[in-house]
Amino acid sequence: MNVNHIISSLVRISLVLPAVVSLSMSMSACTESVRDAHIESALPDIYPDYHGVTVPVNIAPLNFSMSADGYRKIDAVVTDSDGRKIHGQGDESTSFNLDQWHELLSQNVGDSLYVTVSAKDDDGWHTFWPFSIFVSPDSIDYGIVYRLIEPGYEVWSKMGIYERSLSSFDETPLIENTEFDGCVNCHSFNRADPRDLSLHIRGAHGATILRRNGQMTAYNTATSQTLGLCVYPYWHPSGKYIAYSTNTTRQVFHISHNNRVEVFDAASDIQIYDIDNNELIVTPLLKRDSIYETFPAFSADGKTLYFCAANALPEGSSDFQKVHYSLCSVSFDEATGSFGNCIDTLVDCSMCCDTIPGSVSFPRPSYDGCFLVYTYADYGQFTIWHHEADLWIMDLATGERRELKNANSADTDSFHNWSSNSRWMVISSRRDDGLFTRPYFCHIDAEGNASKAFMLPQKNPKRHYQELYMSYNVPDFIDRPVAFDNVAAADIINQKDRKPMKVRVQ
């Protein structure tokens, strides 16, 4: 948003406030009228913080509450520059009509809306200075899929994979572990297309479930020539291959350390699964005992495989704070299913020391081939518990990299995925309370600049997030409903049969 746009917005706000206050004071119907309000010379302190955010035209209503306790009612009027208005009021949270909200957003694509908030406490009504919301011309995908899990990771009880519409508040369970004995994790789609699905199951009924061309198959991905089960999947754009890593991990639970949980590799390799030929393609280049290789991700054209690599610790060592992952790449030939012969290092963290910390994880290239966003932390790869973790962006044409400002916060900003049009990111962040991971969204423009991130909307966000003692894990976009047959999936998981994978060494 340029300076002229900001000045224009401020002028519009000054014109909107008196009209909105007058409208709000005259409303009665089924809502309480805002009468004799004290006019405050400050922006309202609301939860979630939606001040100045950029939103897609098809986003669900941004309901919000007052951050402070003591308010008995909240009222909001949303106005555009042509004088069109919608009104939402509630005891705990604003409540905007879904159809009216979407109509107002569709009428203001590429323009700002202005929100005037009034809140009632023991002293009566208070009306605050309006804030703006910019409606982006870039729409967002149908929804996201995530795992809900208790945040400790050392124990778990109920968990599941859930689908959430982004234009409404509808959440649908795809599969929960009450349907089988085990846990669900590592779900992955091919560029937001849920027709291709990889889903990993751990526990007594462990398997990797692949859905392709409408067919679900349970695989045993462990072989005698690889470290173990395949995890961290990433689809090739052709849909013919999936890159996986195999990781032998260890856990440490801190008593006093700022990062409460640490997961670190004792060994890790990368291989690519050829779906049509049922082969794990293995190369010595990505299977070195002296190197930990993890987090594979294909480029937009499928000709490059990005991954993270770190020098392995000496045998028996658990000094995980000395492990620093670099961002690397290797070429890949789709026609032959073969790797190149040379590894390129794009972000070199191998020389990092205590005074110059740094470690890369979760590389995610945009689907338009322009950018790559990764998580940058002090050390290691389990950055979802690293409070210092931030997102960085790399221009793939120039190699220039910088912090993804506006998207980041003072707390953990870690796992992330791109929307199918490469204009939105979903971010796993602990900025809300430092304990639970919540999904946030930000717009990425053509120059790689991020807008201020905003939290996933809820009907009553304050109550929802205060009462949900679970973290949103591994959020990923979907461009349509998943249409997942959980009964058939549970039946496949509960059976003993698992299809083995062959290995082809390059």
Side-chain angles (χ1 to χ4, degrees):
M1 192 179 292
N2 59 36
V3 173
N4 290 333
H5 187 87
I6 293 173
I7 294 173
S8 175
S9 297
L10 291 174
V11 171
R12 289 179 180 178
I13 287 175
S14 66
L15 295 174
V16 165
L17 179 58
V20 171
V21 172
S22 175
L23 170 75
S24 182
M25 290 177 65
S26 66
M27 285 189 172
S28 54
C30 59
T31 59
E32 180 179 334
S33 297
V34 177
R35 298 183 182 278
D36 302 322
H38 304 280
I39 306 301
E40 306 292 342
S41 59
L43 291 170
D45 185 8
I46 60 172
Y47 178 90
D49 176 11
Y50 290 138
H51 296 156
V53 297
T54 295
V55 300
V57 65
N58 52 332
I59 196 66
L62 300 188
N63 290 334
F64 55 84
S65 305
M66 297 299 291
S67 295
D69 295 330
Y71 290 99
R72 302 196 301 271
K73 194 171 287 290
I74 182 171
D75 180 282
V77 179
V78 184
T79 308
D80 69 9
S81 56
D82 293 324
R84 291 174 292 233
K85 307 175 179 70
I86 62 172
H87 178 243
Q89 189 181 98
D91 295 335
E92 294 181 325
S93 170
T94 60
S95 181
F96 297 107
N97 178 274
L98 185 66
D99 293 335
Q100 292 177 0
W101 172 268
H102 284 302
E103 182 180 6
L104 187 63
L105 263 62
S106 67
Q107 293 168 337
N108 288 275
V109 173
D111 206 348
S112 292
L113 300 173
Y114 304 94
V115 186
T116 300
V117 178
S118 300
K120 186 178 183 181
D121 61 11
D122 291 340
D123 296 327
W125 284 99
H126 303 261
T127 296
F128 299 86
W129 196 246
F131 65 89
S132 64
I133 296 173
F134 182 75
V135 183
S136 171
D138 298 314
S139 62
I140 203 166
D141 287 318
Y142 159 79
I144 57 173
V145 170
Y146 42 82
R147 181 170 65 151
L148 288 177
I149 185 172
E150 294 168 349
Y153 294 96
E154 67 271 22
V155 295
W156 47 266
S157 53
K158 182 182 177 181
M159 67 171 66
I161 306 292
Y162 300 85
E163 169 189 306
R164 163 66 195 268
S165 164
L166 291 178
S167 60
S168 70
F169 303 111
D170 296 338
E171 181 185 75
T172 305
L174 299 181
I175 190 166
E176 296 174 314
N177 67 332
T178 54
E179 301 169 66
F180 60 91
D181 182 15
C183 85
V184 289
N185 69 342
C186 288
H187 59 278
S188 178
F189 308 103
N190 189 0
R191 298 184 176 213
D193 186 343
R195 291 174 294 183
D196 288 338
L197 165 66
S198 173
L199 175 64
H200 189 56
I201 309 296
R202 291 179 178 173
H205 296 276
T208 293
I209 306 298
L210 290 187
R211 184 175 73 174
R212 187 167 181 251
N213 300 323
Q215 299 295 317
M216 278 192 292
T217 306
Y219 288 87
N220 176 9
T221 59
T223 76
S224 60
Q225 295 169 269
T226 54
L227 283 175
L229 297 172
C230 291
V231 293
Y232 302 135
Y234 197 98
W235 289 79
H236 190 272
S238 68
K240 297 178 181 179
Y241 303 96
I242 306 175
Y244 289 103
S245 68
T246 51
N247 302 65
T248 302
T249 59
R250 301 287 185 267
Q251 289 186 345
V252 173
F253 305 104
H254 301 293
I255 296 176
S256 58
H257 197 282
N258 188 42
N259 299 328
R260 302 187 177 199
V261 182
E262 194 66 49
V263 176
F264 60 97
D265 288 332
S268 58
D269 298 323
I270 288 175
Q271 52 271 312
I272 291 179
Y273 179 55
D274 181 337
I275 301 175
D276 292 335
N277 295 309
N278 189 34
E279 289 181 334
L280 284 173
I281 306 168
V282 176
T283 173
L285 203 62
L286 300 177
K287 198 178 186 305
R288 296 166 290 174
D289 292 341
S290 61
I291 302 292
Y292 302 146
E293 300 101 348
T294 190
F295 299 137
F298 283 109
S299 61
D301 61 9
K303 296 180 180 180
T304 301
L305 182 71
Y306 300 103
F307 62 97
C308 297
N311 293 321
L313 292 173
E315 187 175 354
S317 173
S318 61
D319 195 358
F320 51 82
Q321 296 190 48
K322 291 185 177 180
V323 178
H324 300 276
Y325 285 82
S326 299
L327 176 62
C328 302
S329 68
V330 63
S331 63
F332 180 75
D333 187 338
E334 174 190 340
T336 61
S338 58
F339 298 94
N341 297 317
C342 178
I343 291 177
D344 293 320
T345 301
L346 308 179
V347 179
D348 190 356
C349 297
S350 61
M351 302 304 292
C352 288
C353 60
D354 292 339
T355 56
I356 311 176
S359 190
V360 172
S361 60
F362 304 131
R364 286 293 186 271
S366 60
Y367 301 131
D368 61 7
C370 294
F371 302 105
L372 182 147
V373 172
Y374 58 88
T375 305
Y376 195 69
D378 286 352
Y379 60 88
Q381 48 89 4
F382 195 68
T383 52
I384 58 175
W385 263 116
H386 280 223
H387 294 282
E388 82 282 1
D390 281 323
L391 300 182
W392 281 59
I393 190 167
M394 172 184 287
D395 187 318
L396 291 175
T398 65
E400 177 190 1
R401 58 187 187 270
R402 53 187 164 79
E403 183 184 348
L404 193 62
K405 293 185 177 180
N406 293 331
N408 289 323
S409 69
D411 214 306
T412 307
D413 300 296
S414 183
F415 188 84
H416 50 279
N417 267 313
W418 291 89
S419 64
S420 60
N421 63 2
S422 299
R423 282 295 171 261
W424 298 93
M425 293 207 76
V426 58
I427 303 166
S428 297
S429 179
R430 295 188 191 271
R431 70 186 69 186
D432 187 28
D433 57 13
L435 296 174
F436 294 93
T437 304
R438 310 300 191 202
Y440 287 75
F441 301 87
C442 68
H443 181 263
I444 309 291
D445 67 18
E447 286 72 45
N449 300 309
S451 66
K452 178 180 175 180
F454 65 92
M455 186 186 281
L456 174 66
Q458 303 290 348
K459 281 186 179 179
N460 185 334
K462 194 171 184 179
R463 179 175 293 274
H464 176 88
Y465 289 116
Q466 284 183 347
E467 295 181 355
L468 180 68
Y469 293 99
M470 303 187 86
S471 283
Y472 290 77
N473 186 245
V474 194
D476 198 1
F477 286 100
I478 48 173
D479 61 13
R480 69 198 76 186
V482 178
F484 188 74
D485 189 339
N486 64 310
V487 175
D491 183 59
I492 292 171
I493 294 168
N494 286 321
Q495 293 177 12
K496 294 182 179 181
D497 294 337
R498 301 289 184 265
K499 186 174 181 178
M501 290 182 174
K502 299 177 291 184
V503 175
R504 172 163 65 89
V505 179
Q506 179 180 317

